[in-house]
Amino acid sequence: MASSDPQLETVRRAILELDPNGIRIGQVLRDTIDQLLDGVHTGRYKWDQLFKTEKTHAGTLVEINLQREFKFKDGALLDYSIKDIEADCKFSQSLYGWMIPPEAEDHLCLAVWASDEKSMWSAGLVRASKQHLSSGENRDRKRTLSQTGRGAITWLFENHPLPPNVFLRLAPEKVDHILDTTKSGQERVNRLFMQARELIISRAAVATAAQQDDFMKRVRENGGAREKLRRFGVVILGHEHRELARALKLAVPEKGEFVSVQLVRVPAESSRPAVIIEEERWAVALPGEPMMTAPKLPRAAP
């Protein structure tokens, strides 16, 4: 339903034209959280490991990274000018936790929320009019949305899935096993692909496991995880193997993502989803099936 606020409706349409499915905003939020965690240098993988100052800085980074992604113009007073309409970008890791500054009063706000723990995000537009703001303010004269203001949000995307953080989908003991700093970066990457089989694994997760600037080298053939895990029956699919992933009914990796899976040879008469690699039929291993050396994947799906 169109908003009764013409400026809000104009901005809403402009953003949805740029990102009709929310994929770009979701990826910006994923990348911003990973940027803050800086796993390649710190080994951190969850929000509560950040320092207070880093959490405070998250809003600024979201504002900057959204502007870079969508090439919004600078506003004269507020963060953005979208279709010549001023809008302020507010981010909070707690829903409705946005702090509205006095200069944004009566203007539009792009309110963004993301939770890595819940693997969700939302983004909406609201006009920061007096009736939409709480009566109390902090020492910087910032105010939150009132109950009326919360109800006045026009959601662009509500409770959309955030690109996953694989470490938050694993049991804590598995994460501790993967990130054991007494082991080499290569061993930690090997453990990541062994422990997180059939889950989407991002480049950032690989970097966090490796904690080395050349982390992608730890995935490749010629000494990397792809070579070392084949003897356990495990292959690592990248975006170039999307058709193989679809055929095996696995999560499909996009660019910069991976899915590891244990394979077994199956006969031609098997009804299980299978693919032909090196002239043999391979299917996802079932619990209890014997381990066998996996084939070397083609550079691209046949």
Side-chain angles (χ1 to χ4, degrees):
M1 182 182 293
S3 169
S4 59
D5 184 328
Q7 287 191 332
L8 188 151
E9 179 62 14
T10 297
V11 173
R12 185 188 75 85
R13 288 179 178 273
I15 294 174
L16 291 179
E17 284 176 10
L18 292 168
D19 192 15
N21 299 312
I23 293 172
R24 294 171 69 184
I25 296 175
Q27 192 59 55
V28 167
L29 294 171
R30 171 76 274 151
D31 292 343
T32 302
I33 293 170
D34 291 338
Q35 181 182 353
L36 283 162
L37 291 169
D38 192 20
V40 69
H41 297 118
T42 67
R44 299 180 303 190
Y45 63 91
K46 56 185 177 180
W47 182 267
D48 62 13
Q49 292 173 318
L50 295 173
F51 295 117
K52 183 179 179 181
T53 50
E54 291 174 311
K55 293 176 182 177
T56 302
H57 188 48
T60 301
L61 285 180
V62 168
E63 170 205 325
I64 292 169
N65 292 340
L66 285 174
Q67 186 169 29
R68 287 175 176 169
E69 176 67 24
F70 294 106
K71 297 180 173 56
F72 295 140
K73 294 178 182 178
D74 284 333
L77 177 66
L78 304 176
D79 296 326
Y80 307 144
S81 175
I82 303 174
K83 297 290 186 180
D84 298 321
I85 298 167
E86 297 263 330
D88 218 29
C89 180
K90 310 312 300 176
F91 172 79
S92 177
Q93 207 262 340
S94 60
L95 189 59
Y96 304 118
W98 308 293
M99 300 301 295
I100 314 298
E103 63 269 21
E105 189 172 315
D106 291 325
H107 290 281
L108 294 181
C109 289
L110 173 60
V112 183
W113 163 78
S115 169
D116 210 6
E117 290 288 339
K118 294 181 180 178
S119 199
M120 279 184 191
W121 67 274
S122 297
L125 293 165
V126 65
R127 186 167 293 281
S129 55
K130 287 184 179 179
Q131 65 265 35
H132 292 163
L133 297 175
S134 62
S135 56
E137 57 185 40
N138 67 11
R139 61 185 178 184
D140 296 321
R141 298 181 56 219
K142 292 181 179 180
R143 292 188 279 175
T144 58
L145 292 177
S146 64
Q147 283 297 123
T148 302
R150 293 181 182 189
I153 297 171
T154 297
W155 292 108
L156 301 168
F157 305 99
E158 189 172 12
N159 295 329
H160 263 229
L162 186 70
N165 177 343
V166 70
F167 292 112
L168 298 181
R169 300 185 66 184
L170 298 172
E173 59 270 19
K174 285 189 175 183
V175 177
D176 291 343
H177 177 71
I178 294 166
L179 299 181
D180 182 355
T181 54
T182 68
K183 304 299 180 181
S184 69
Q186 183 63 66
E187 176 61 24
R188 291 194 295 271
V189 171
N190 294 350
R191 289 181 175 189
L192 172 63
F193 285 109
M194 284 293 290
Q195 296 289 339
R197 292 196 298 276
E198 301 182 37
L199 298 176
I200 291 290
I201 297 172
S202 66
R203 282 173 57 99
V206 176
T208 300
Q211 294 180 51
Q212 297 169 339
D213 289 336
D214 63 347
F215 60 90
M216 285 303 296
K217 182 179 179 182
R218 307 301 160 199
V219 181
R220 298 172 185 146
E221 296 286 351
N222 303 319
R226 278 197 164 116
E227 177 184 298
K228 293 183 179 297
L229 298 185
R230 276 206 306 277
R231 66 191 177 98
F232 300 107
V234 174
V235 297
I236 300 171
L237 307 176
H239 75 280
E240 68 273 27
H241 305 114
R242 282 177 286 202
E243 292 308 313
L244 291 179
R246 288 190 184 99
L248 292 168
K249 309 298 183 185
L250 297 169
V252 178
E254 299 298 330
K255 191 169 184 180
E257 295 179 338
F258 307 94
V259 173
S260 60
V261 61
Q262 184 180 352
L263 298 180
V264 292
R265 278 188 298 273
V266 293
E269 61 270 19
S270 171
S271 62
R272 289 159 64 177
V275 294
I276 306 295
I277 307 174
E278 296 179 348
E279 300 181 351
E280 294 186 292
R281 281 177 69 85
W282 296 87
V284 177
L286 300 175
E289 286 192 302
M291 185 183 299
M292 57 184 70
T293 300
K296 187 174 180 178
L297 293 179
R299 286 185 176 273

PDB file of all heavy atoms in Angstrom, residues 30 52 68 85 116 144 148 156 185 259 302:
ATOM      1  N   ARG A  30      25.811  -7.933   6.080  1.00  0.00           N
ATOM      2  CA  ARG A  30      26.707  -9.068   6.356  1.00  0.00           C
ATOM      3  C   ARG A  30      28.169  -8.618   6.298  1.00  0.00           C
ATOM      4  O   ARG A  30      28.971  -8.920   7.183  1.00  0.00           O
ATOM      5  CB  ARG A  30      26.447 -10.167   5.321  1.00  0.00           C
ATOM      6  CG  ARG A  30      27.416 -11.345   5.292  1.00  0.00           C
ATOM      7  CD  ARG A  30      27.186 -12.318   6.422  1.00  0.00           C
ATOM      8  NE  ARG A  30      27.895 -11.924   7.637  1.00  0.00           N
ATOM      9  CZ  ARG A  30      27.501 -12.203   8.860  1.00  0.00           C
ATOM     10  NH1 ARG A  30      26.383 -12.865   9.056  1.00  0.00           N
ATOM     11  NH2 ARG A  30      28.204 -11.815   9.902  1.00  0.00           N
ATOM     12  N   LYS A  52      32.918  -1.999  22.970  1.00  0.00           N
ATOM     13  CA  LYS A  52      31.798  -1.054  22.985  1.00  0.00           C
ATOM     14  C   LYS A  52      31.953   0.009  21.901  1.00  0.00           C
ATOM     15  O   LYS A  52      30.986   0.375  21.218  1.00  0.00           O
ATOM     16  CB  LYS A  52      31.695  -0.398  24.368  1.00  0.00           C
ATOM     17  CG  LYS A  52      30.524   0.553  24.513  1.00  0.00           C
ATOM     18  CD  LYS A  52      30.473   1.142  25.922  1.00  0.00           C
ATOM     19  CE  LYS A  52      29.313   2.130  26.058  1.00  0.00           C
ATOM     20  NZ  LYS A  52      29.267   2.718  27.421  1.00  0.00           N
ATOM     21  N   ARG A  68      27.967   3.695  -0.371  1.00  0.00           N
ATOM     22  CA  ARG A  68      28.867   3.199  -1.412  1.00  0.00           C
ATOM     23  C   ARG A  68      28.151   2.219  -2.342  1.00  0.00           C
ATOM     24  O   ARG A  68      28.338   2.256  -3.560  1.00  0.00           O
ATOM     25  CB  ARG A  68      30.071   2.500  -0.765  1.00  0.00           C
ATOM     26  CG  ARG A  68      31.067   3.441  -0.125  1.00  0.00           C
ATOM     27  CD  ARG A  68      32.152   2.662   0.583  1.00  0.00           C
ATOM     28  NE  ARG A  68      33.174   3.540   1.138  1.00  0.00           N
ATOM     29  CZ  ARG A  68      34.118   3.134   1.992  1.00  0.00           C
ATOM     30  NH1 ARG A  68      34.164   1.864   2.373  1.00  0.00           N
ATOM     31  NH2 ARG A  68      35.010   3.991   2.446  1.00  0.00           N
ATOM     32  N   ILE A  85      15.538  14.157  -1.882  1.00  0.00           N
ATOM     33  CA  ILE A  85      14.851  14.162  -0.584  1.00  0.00           C
ATOM     34  C   ILE A  85      15.850  13.742   0.489  1.00  0.00           C
ATOM     35  O   ILE A  85      16.513  12.713   0.367  1.00  0.00           O
ATOM     36  CB  ILE A  85      13.642  13.200  -0.601  1.00  0.00           C
ATOM     37  CG1 ILE A  85      12.622  13.654  -1.648  1.00  0.00           C
ATOM     38  CG2 ILE A  85      13.004  13.115   0.783  1.00  0.00           C
ATOM     39  CD1 ILE A  85      11.559  12.617  -1.952  1.00  0.00           C
ATOM     40  N   ASP A 116      22.968 -10.703  13.979  1.00  0.00           N
ATOM     41  CA  ASP A 116      23.700 -11.876  13.502  1.00  0.00           C
ATOM     42  C   ASP A 116      23.252 -13.123  14.258  1.00  0.00           C
ATOM     43  O   ASP A 116      23.185 -14.211  13.695  1.00  0.00           O
ATOM     44  CB  ASP A 116      25.209 -11.651  13.688  1.00  0.00           C
ATOM     45  CG  ASP A 116      26.033 -12.381  12.630  1.00  0.00           C
ATOM     46  OD1 ASP A 116      25.447 -12.953  11.692  1.00  0.00           O
ATOM     47  OD2 ASP A 116      27.269 -12.378  12.748  1.00  0.00           O
ATOM     48  N   THR A 144      14.198   8.272  20.826  1.00  0.00           N
ATOM     49  CA  THR A 144      13.803   7.034  20.152  1.00  0.00           C
ATOM     50  C   THR A 144      12.407   7.211  19.561  1.00  0.00           C
ATOM     51  O   THR A 144      11.730   8.210  19.811  1.00  0.00           O
ATOM     52  CB  THR A 144      13.798   5.850  21.141  1.00  0.00           C
ATOM     53  OG1 THR A 144      12.901   6.164  22.226  1.00  0.00           O
ATOM     54  CG2 THR A 144      15.178   5.581  21.689  1.00  0.00           C
ATOM     55  N   THR A 148       3.741   5.098  18.719  1.00  0.00           N
ATOM     56  CA  THR A 148       3.097   5.579  17.490  1.00  0.00           C
ATOM     57  C   THR A 148       4.089   5.580  16.340  1.00  0.00           C
ATOM     58  O   THR A 148       3.769   5.184  15.211  1.00  0.00           O
ATOM     59  CB  THR A 148       2.537   7.003  17.698  1.00  0.00           C
ATOM     60  OG1 THR A 148       1.608   6.987  18.775  1.00  0.00           O
ATOM     61  CG2 THR A 148       1.869   7.518  16.437  1.00  0.00           C
ATOM     62  N   LEU A 156      10.436  -1.620   4.233  1.00  0.00           N
ATOM     63  CA  LEU A 156      10.914  -2.034   2.920  1.00  0.00           C
ATOM     64  C   LEU A 156      11.114  -3.545   2.916  1.00  0.00           C
ATOM     65  O   LEU A 156      10.696  -4.243   2.001  1.00  0.00           O
ATOM     66  CB  LEU A 156      12.240  -1.329   2.598  1.00  0.00           C
ATOM     67  CG  LEU A 156      12.208   0.197   2.577  1.00  0.00           C
ATOM     68  CD1 LEU A 156      13.621   0.750   2.550  1.00  0.00           C
ATOM     69  CD2 LEU A 156      11.420   0.695   1.387  1.00  0.00           C
ATOM     70  N   GLY A 185      47.073 -22.395  10.580  1.00  0.00           N
ATOM     71  CA  GLY A 185      45.963 -21.830   9.834  1.00  0.00           C
ATOM     72  C   GLY A 185      45.370 -22.835   8.867  1.00  0.00           C
ATOM     73  O   GLY A 185      44.153 -22.901   8.699  1.00  0.00           O
ATOM     74  N   VAL A 259      30.484 -24.639  -0.110  1.00  0.00           N
ATOM     75  CA  VAL A 259      29.761 -25.689   0.604  1.00  0.00           C
ATOM     76  C   VAL A 259      30.621 -26.945   0.537  1.00  0.00           C
ATOM     77  O   VAL A 259      31.011 -27.378  -0.556  1.00  0.00           O
ATOM     78  CB  VAL A 259      28.382 -25.976  -0.016  1.00  0.00           C
ATOM     79  CG1 VAL A 259      27.733 -27.185   0.657  1.00  0.00           C
ATOM     80  CG2 VAL A 259      27.465 -24.773   0.122  1.00  0.00           C
ATOM     81  N   PRO A 302      30.097 -29.392 -15.277  1.00  0.00           N
ATOM     82  CA  PRO A 302      29.930 -29.841 -16.647  1.00  0.00           C
ATOM     83  C   PRO A 302      28.516 -29.542 -17.133  1.00  0.00           C
ATOM     84  O   PRO A 302      27.604 -29.382 -16.360  1.00  0.00           O
ATOM     85  CB  PRO A 302      30.173 -31.342 -16.549  1.00  0.00           C
ATOM     86  CG  PRO A 302      29.837 -31.685 -15.125  1.00  0.00           C
ATOM     87  CD  PRO A 302      30.215 -30.485 -14.322  1.00  0.00           C
TER      88      PRO A 302
END
